[in-house]
Amino acid sequence: MKIQAINGFKDILPDQMLLWRRIEHTAAEVFQRFGMREIRVPLMEKTELFVRSIGEATDVVEKEMYTFSEKKTTMRPEATASIMRAFIEHGMHVQQPVQRLFTIGPMFRHERPQKGRLRQFHQLDAEIVGATEPQVDAELIAMGQLILDELGLSTSLEINSLGCQECRPPYRRKLISFLEEQREELCEDCRRRTHKNPLRVLDCKKTACKTIAHQAPSLLEDLCEGCSSHFAQVQEGLDALEIPFTLNRFMVRGLDYYTQTTFEFLTADLGAQAAVGAGGRYDGLIEQLGGPALPGIGFAMGIERLALLMEQNAEEPLEQQTDIFLAALGEQAPQPCSRLIHQLRKDGLKAAMDYSGRSLKAQMKQANRCHARFVLIIGDSELEQQQGVLRNMQSQEQQSFPLTGSPQEQSQSLLRLLQL
């Protein structure tokens, strides 16, 4: 019996990797334009890190984490907590007051696999630590929007504010009172969370609870003066950058550490998995994890979902091109061809060759399969005459190519002819 991949864990095949590489390269390039620096954090952390940061009463901690209980360790379900742990552990705030960090990699959550949602999934993650200004919130959102724009994806942006420690308590009491009146209609999880963590009720995906949540009082109505001013300036910043958005007063996100600005990039093209990216401000998280009292804001984007959207929008699939294919024919050609192809690769060309000695027709088919721009045909007779045949695979034009000189000299001649 064949061994197959674990449910929710998916292979990323070579043809798909072309698209993934484009997403990762585009994101990394945009991040660097905004002064972001790459960080890589472990896949495994102490379980306490996620309990303290994400929140004990969240679905992620209660139901979705891959935890090794005897070791008290967990495979990371998201990147922000790990980056903040590294930030604190290495005293990065001492080196530079404002840190702009990004990472790209896999996360793990035990949830029901479906389109765009896997148990091992991959994210682009960006964090700005040490900046309180609302203009930074707008800039971070603009960075996420620019990544989507450069990938050719059309999404909508929704924003909200979750307030701060000053304005949340009065709203919390108001929300609990409302939820108590609706208690009989709530699911079992939401009944349990009503007093422990009422904001989580607003994030419930059950139909009945979602209906109740849309009737609940909005935190926007209870924002303190500081949070209200901050959120207004975020909106002004987005308007100034010509980034359209809508207010969603029901958005709370699924993690407890969020404060003030929260946002989501949404699509209508992936069914129930509408969010392709989301984030927000987490001004108390670093102190909560034992670090200095510094603010922070960040977002994550799901690479699987970005790839699905790009596949749906693509007019034709991405193909990995080869600059030149060497068709070696006969008994004598493979050896000089192997020396030449090695030199071509050293000089930066994407070059391919068939060592099996198959017919010219078979090798030309292989050249087409690897999307070669040119084919250099070298057989025993070409070696004897010291003239190979260089074919342009697009125009089908052919010309002679001298096989004199060293492999280095031949490679430089080919570079000039191919204009690479």
Side-chain angles (χ1 to χ4, degrees), residues 30-98:
V30 170
F31 285 149
Q32 289 166 32
R33 282 188 234 163
F34 282 75
M36 309 290 286
R37 299 189 302 156
E38 187 171 10
I39 183 173
R40 297 196 180 185
V41 288
L43 298 182
M44 189 88 72
E45 298 275 6
K46 293 179 180 177
T47 303
E48 182 187 6
L49 173 66
F50 302 115
V51 174
R52 286 169 60 182
S53 60
I54 296 173
E56 191 172 359
T58 59
D59 281 348
V60 174
V61 171
E62 287 186 337
K63 303 176 182 179
E64 298 172 0
M65 295 202 311
Y66 282 95
T67 295
F68 300 87
S69 55
E70 71 280 4
K71 299 291 186 182
K72 297 181 180 178
T73 55
T74 294
M75 298 177 73
R76 65 184 187 198
E78 57 100 48
T80 301
S82 293
I83 292 175
M84 293 308 106
R85 190 267 312 147
F87 175 88
I88 296 165
E89 182 174 340
H90 299 287
M92 295 177 71
H93 61 288
V94 177
Q95 307 164 23
Q96 192 170 315
V98 176

Side-chain angles (χ1 to χ4, degrees), residues 169-182 193-199 217:
Y171 172 72
R172 188 177 187 275
R173 290 191 293 270
K174 186 187 294 187
L175 179 58
I176 290 174
S177 176
F178 168 80
L179 294 174
E180 281 292 352
E181 294 175 3
Q182 312 293 328
R193 290 172 179 167
T194 294
H195 287 274
K196 188 175 183 180
N197 196 340
L199 279 178

Side-chain angles (χ1 to χ4, degrees), residues 67-355:
T67 295
F68 300 87
S69 55
E70 71 280 4
K71 299 291 186 182
K72 297 181 180 178
T73 55
T74 294
M75 298 177 73
R76 65 184 187 198
E78 57 100 48
T80 301
S82 293
I83 292 175
M84 293 308 106
R85 190 267 312 147
F87 175 88
I88 296 165
E89 182 174 340
H90 299 287
M92 295 177 71
H93 61 288
V94 177
Q95 307 164 23
Q96 192 170 315
V98 176
Q99 290 280 349
R100 293 169 171 255
L101 305 168
F102 78 91
T103 195
I104 300 173
M107 314 294 159
F108 304 86
R109 294 187 190 180
H110 191 279
E111 51 189 346
R112 184 169 65 86
Q114 51 191 294
K115 184 178 181 181
R117 184 185 289 272
L118 296 170
R119 291 173 175 171
Q120 176 179 310
F121 57 100
H122 299 74
Q123 288 186 338
L124 316 168
D125 186 278
E127 315 288 345
I128 300 178
V129 184
T132 60
E133 300 82 2
Q135 292 81 5
V136 172
D137 300 25
E139 183 186 88
L140 182 89
I141 294 171
M143 181 169 64
Q145 184 65 62
L146 186 57
I147 291 172
L148 296 169
D149 291 344
E150 297 209 353
L151 291 174
L153 299 178
S154 177
T155 59
S156 60
L157 171 65
E158 294 185 355
I159 66 173
N160 192 21
S161 176
L162 296 182
C164 66
Q165 297 305 314
E166 180 181 334
C167 48
R168 272 199 197 177
Y171 172 72
R172 188 177 187 275
R173 290 191 293 270
K174 186 187 294 187
L175 179 58
I176 290 174
S177 176
F178 168 80
L179 294 174
E180 281 292 352
E181 294 175 3
Q182 312 293 328
R183 184 174 180 80
E184 295 304 316
E185 306 299 322
L186 297 173
C187 71
E188 185 178 341
D189 281 344
C190 288
R191 290 177 193 172
R192 177 171 48 82
R193 290 172 179 167
T194 294
H195 287 274
K196 188 175 183 180
N197 196 340
L199 279 178
R200 294 280 64 78
V201 178
L202 302 181
D203 195 46
C204 183
K205 302 302 186 286
K206 303 278 179 64
T207 302
C209 296
K210 286 174 70 174
T211 301
I212 292 170
H214 278 71
Q215 300 167 4
S218 170
L219 181 52
L220 290 179
E221 300 163 3
D222 287 275
L223 292 179
C224 65
E225 185 177 346
C227 288
S228 182
S229 173
H230 184 100
F231 194 45
Q233 290 181 70
V234 172
Q235 296 174 68
E236 290 170 6
L238 293 173
D239 286 336
L241 298 174
E242 299 182 343
I243 297 175
F245 62 88
T246 57
L247 295 180
N248 179 356
R249 67 188 186 92
F250 305 110
M251 184 201 307
V252 296
R253 306 293 304 129
L255 311 177
D256 277 359
Y257 52 62
Y258 286 120
T259 60
Q260 293 190 326
T261 308
T262 56
F263 57 93
E264 291 184 341
F265 294 103
L266 304 172
T267 177
D269 297 331
L270 292 179
Q273 305 308 316
V276 297
R281 185 164 280 282
Y282 45 83
D283 286 354
L285 176 60
I286 298 170
E287 188 175 13
Q288 183 180 329
L289 294 176
L294 290 173
I297 185 170
F299 71 78
M301 289 184 175
I303 299 180
E304 281 83 357
R305 296 183 190 183
L306 295 174
L308 280 172
L309 279 178
M310 292 180 70
E311 286 173 352
Q312 291 177 10
N313 296 342
E315 295 181 3
E316 55 186 46
L318 291 176
E319 295 171 340
Q320 182 167 319
Q321 285 199 324
T322 301
D323 294 319
I324 187 166
F325 183 94
L326 267 60
L329 307 172
E331 295 181 1
Q332 305 300 318
Q335 187 174 8
C337 281
S338 67
R339 291 196 296 268
L340 176 56
I341 195 171
H342 183 62
Q343 186 61 47
L344 289 168
R345 289 165 175 165
K346 286 173 67 175
D347 290 340
L349 269 68
K350 294 189 282 286
M353 176 180 166
D354 185 335
Y355 291 90

